[in-house]
Structure formats: structure tokens, C-alpha cells
Amino acid sequence: MTTPIMPRIRLRVAFTVFYAFLIGGICFTANRIYHQHKLIELMTGESPSNKAVKSVDAISGTPFGQGSNTISTENTENITASWLQDMEAIQSERQQTLQTACSKYVNQSFMTLEEFASDPNNMVSLIYNDKYKVIYNFVHKVASQHLVKIFNKNVDVEALYTANRLNKLKYGAAIMRLRNYKKFIFIRDPFTRFVSVYRNKFIEHPDEKYFKLLSKRIVQKYREDKKSNAEQMPTFSEFVDYITGYDKSRRANTHWSSYVTRNRACLLKHDFIGKLETMEDDFPYLFQHLLHTDIIIAGPRNNTTTGHTSILQNLYSGVSEKSIGKLLKFYENDFRVFGYNMSVPK
């Protein structure tokens, strides 16, 4: 007995649909794996077998890549309409806070964008990427190496901060990019960043030539017990006193300079403002919303643990209220412009 024609047609259609879904699933999975592997190469320049980003949190010394900052596309599943709305609301609030504070506390009339671009010294913190048509206004001690690696892949670590610098371009090329490229910046709580600088330069890497000489200079000037000068590492309190001293040239170092002063946070209209404290969400939003890539980069999780807070508390507890007041004055506009609470951890 032959099978009726209609059931046979339905059976063939069912098999066709099944195989279509099966092949589609395989292609989707293969595509995800491909993008993940390309992303790993983009970020690290290494084979996909080593997925951890070798950036180190400057407060704890813990590599970001140990479980918390592996490069992954799994965050695509978290990109929901609700999440995007929340992120857009956060960006809107950050932009409003910046604009209000800049108009109220910062003199913005002293320089035009054209005047800014005419002096290469103004653009030392700007790294451009022609592929994404974006300018990254980098800040040291705010996962800057992590971000610079993304845009300057296949570049030696020593050259990360010199490749694709906007200040290396002629005026016409620089002003074109400033006018037409999107710009973004990542910042963090100024007091936390200041601690990160101290620990990284004077405790974790004390043998760097510049900071070794600086250590000696600080100790000689600010240590009351001159007999203890054999110990050349300055205390955190001595470092604070040095930076907040009367010589303003001390404040110009890129590792601890003000966001408003060095990074021209009020002059340059940033399309995106990221924060280290929320980088786990800010990273994927940046790459989807600003750069419009189909690859999502997972940002390092916020490592603000009890141990971190304890480190901050211990260091600042040894600083006089007068010196803390001076440090607050130094970073005052940074706190205001980016909406941070003007207080030290207690």
C-alpha cells in the first residue's frame, strides 16, 4: 500500500525544517567560536588557548584575567533591551553631570578645539583608531593598557602609548579626527586612583629609574626623622604632601594629573564616559553602542572588595586632615565633573 502524497510531503517538509535548524545552529556556534578566537587575538596577540588578559589590578596586584576578565562573547546573552535602556540612562546622567559641573566650575572659554589641536602637547592623552573612527582619551591607572591593546594590536608593549598618538599627526589630520571621530574616556574615583599610583610606582615597581629618584627626593624633603633616610621609599602621607606642595609642576605627571586638566574633560565632548567601577557593563556597551561591532568585549569585574577598602582606609588614615584637604582641592573638579563623592574611605 502506497503512502498518500500529502503525508509524504509533510514528512519531507518536517525533515527539511529540522535540517535547516540543525545547520543553522552549527553555523551560529561556529560563528561565535570564530569571533571569540579573533577577539582573543585582537586583545592579547596570543593564540586562543590563553584567554586571560595579563592586566593587573594596581591596588591588589591580582591579574584581571584570573576568572574575572577572560575574554568572552558570553555577554551577548546579557545584551537585552532593558539592559541597554539602563546603560543609556547611566550615560545620559553622566553626561548631564559633566556638563553641569563644567559650566559651573570650569572655565571653558579659554580655548577652542582648533586652538587645542594647534599644540601637540594638548593631545598627548589621545589615541586614535581609523578602523572604528574613534579617539580614546586614555588615563593612566584606569585599565588604560587593557584598552590601548585593543586599538593598538600587534604593537610591542613598550610602544603601546606611542602608536597612533594624535599629537604625532599634522594639524589638518588631527583636527579632522577631533571633529569627526567619536571620543571616549574611562575614569575612576580620584582618591582610589591616587592610591593605585602610589602602590604601583613606589611599592610594586620601586626600581623604575624616574620613581626611584623621585622617592629619594620626597624622603629628603618631607621625612622629619632625617636619620631614617636610608629607607628611600616614601610613605603615602609623604607622597600626598609632595604632590600637594606649592610647586605645581609636580602635579603634571600623567599618572596622577587631573582629568579636567590633562584630559581636557570639559573641552572635549566625549560620546562615552566609562568608569572603572562599572567596567564590567561599560565595556560591552562601549563596543556595541559606540563602535557598533558584532563582538562584545567583557570588561574586568569591579574588584572593590573588603581588602581593597581596607588598603585605602589604612593609607589615608595616616594622612593629616590638612593634607587630605589639599588633595581634595587638587582633584576637586574631577570629583564634581564625574559625580564622585568627595570623601576618603572610612
Side-chain angles (χ1 to χ4, degrees):
M1 183 175 182
T2 60
T3 305
I5 295 177
M6 288 305 295
R8 279 188 292 172
I9 293 176
R10 291 194 189 100
L11 189 61
R12 288 177 181 175
V13 170
F15 273 113
T16 301
V17 171
F18 171 76
Y19 282 116
F21 273 108
L22 180 62
I23 293 172
I26 294 172
C27 291
F28 176 77
T29 302
N31 185 56
R32 283 172 61 89
I33 294 172
Y34 168 79
H35 280 302
Q36 184 171 2
H37 285 200
K38 294 297 291 181
L39 181 57
I40 292 166
E41 293 172 6
L42 173 68
M43 286 288 292
T44 65
E46 299 177 1
S47 64
S49 61
N50 183 7
K51 299 180 181 180
V53 178
K54 297 179 182 177
S55 299
V56 176
D57 178 63
I59 290 183
S60 68
T62 302
F64 281 140
Q66 291 185 355
S68 64
N69 190 39
T70 52
I71 303 167
S72 172
T73 55
E74 293 178 0
N75 277 21
T76 52
E77 297 171 1
N78 297 325
I79 307 298
T80 64
S82 175
W83 181 84
L84 283 173
Q85 288 177 357
D86 290 342
M87 294 301 295
E88 287 166 3
I90 290 172
Q91 281 300 307
S92 178
E93 181 181 0
R94 289 176 183 175
Q95 295 286 357
Q96 185 60 49
T97 298
L98 181 142
Q99 292 170 16
T100 301
C102 285
S103 62
K104 187 174 181 179
Y105 300 108
V106 181
N107 180 10
Q108 303 181 74
S109 62
F110 71 97
M111 185 181 293
T112 64
L113 191 64
E114 289 71 24
E115 291 170 336
F116 172 82
S118 66
D119 185 354
N121 292 325
N122 292 329
M123 300 181 287
V124 294
S125 66
L126 303 179
I127 292 177
Y128 68 92
N129 183 282
D130 289 330
K131 176 182 178 180
Y132 294 118
K133 298 189 183 305
V134 68
I135 294 173
Y136 167 39
N137 192 354
F138 76 86
V139 180
H140 283 297
K141 312 318 302 173
V142 189
S144 58
Q145 189 174 107
H146 184 82
L147 280 159
V148 172
K149 281 182 178 179
I150 296 172
F151 298 111
N152 287 344
K153 65 173 183 174
N154 302 324
V155 173
D156 292 337
V157 173
E158 292 78 8
L160 276 178
Y161 291 102
T162 58
N164 293 339
R165 290 282 281 270
L166 202 65
N167 66 334
K168 302 297 183 182
L169 299 179
K170 293 183 177 180
Y171 172 80
I175 192 65
M176 181 278 291
R177 287 169 173 80
L178 282 169
R179 287 171 176 165
N180 299 297
Y181 283 18
K182 291 183 178 180
K183 294 175 280 292
F184 74 93
I185 187 172
F186 271 88
I187 42 82
R188 70 191 296 187
D189 182 286
F191 276 157
T192 305
R193 175 177 172 237
F194 194 75
V195 168
S196 176
V197 171
Y198 173 74
R199 287 179 55 80
N200 182 254
K201 298 304 179 183
F202 296 104
I203 297 177
E204 296 165 2
H205 305 286
D207 294 327
E208 290 185 23
K209 185 176 180 180
Y210 172 80
F211 290 99
K212 194 171 184 178
L213 293 172
L214 182 60
S215 294
K216 184 176 181 179
R217 191 183 312 154
I218 293 174
V219 169
Q220 288 176 341
K221 184 173 180 60
Y222 290 97
R223 185 155 299 173
E224 295 181 2
D225 182 5
K226 303 301 181 182
K227 294 181 180 180
S228 65
N229 279 0
E231 177 54 60
Q232 295 298 333
M233 187 185 75
T235 65
F236 183 67
S237 179
E238 290 168 345
F239 181 51
V240 172
D241 288 339
Y242 174 80
I243 299 303
T244 58
Y246 292 107
D247 186 355
K248 292 186 178 180
S249 64
R250 301 172 182 174
R251 307 177 184 184
N253 187 286
T254 60
H255 291 87
W256 55 72
S257 55
S258 162
Y259 306 138
V260 171
T261 302
R262 177 179 183 271
N263 298 92
R264 309 285 183 167
C266 290
L267 174 66
L268 299 175
K269 307 303 180 185
H270 294 96
D271 299 272
F272 178 87
I273 300 171
K275 293 188 176 184
L276 186 71
E277 295 85 357
T278 57
M279 198 171 279
E280 187 178 6
D281 282 320
D282 287 349
F283 256 56
Y285 182 76
L286 166 68
F287 280 85
Q288 184 185 52
H289 176 76
L290 187 71
L291 305 183
H292 303 293
T293 68
D294 58 350
I295 298 175
I296 306 300
I297 295 182
R301 293 192 179 115
N302 179 15
N303 287 329
T304 306
T305 62
T306 303
H308 288 206
T309 303
S310 178
I311 290 171
L312 294 170
Q313 290 172 339
N314 289 338
L315 288 173
Y316 278 108
S317 65
V319 182
S320 69
E321 290 188 10
K322 181 179 179 180
S323 294
I324 287 178
K326 289 182 179 180
L327 191 62
L328 178 60
K329 185 68 177 178
F330 176 42
Y331 289 118
E332 187 173 33
N333 283 333
D334 289 348
F335 282 101
R336 289 168 170 168
V337 165
F338 292 108
Y340 284 104
N341 185 23
M342 292 189 192
S343 63
V344 297
K346 295 181 180 180

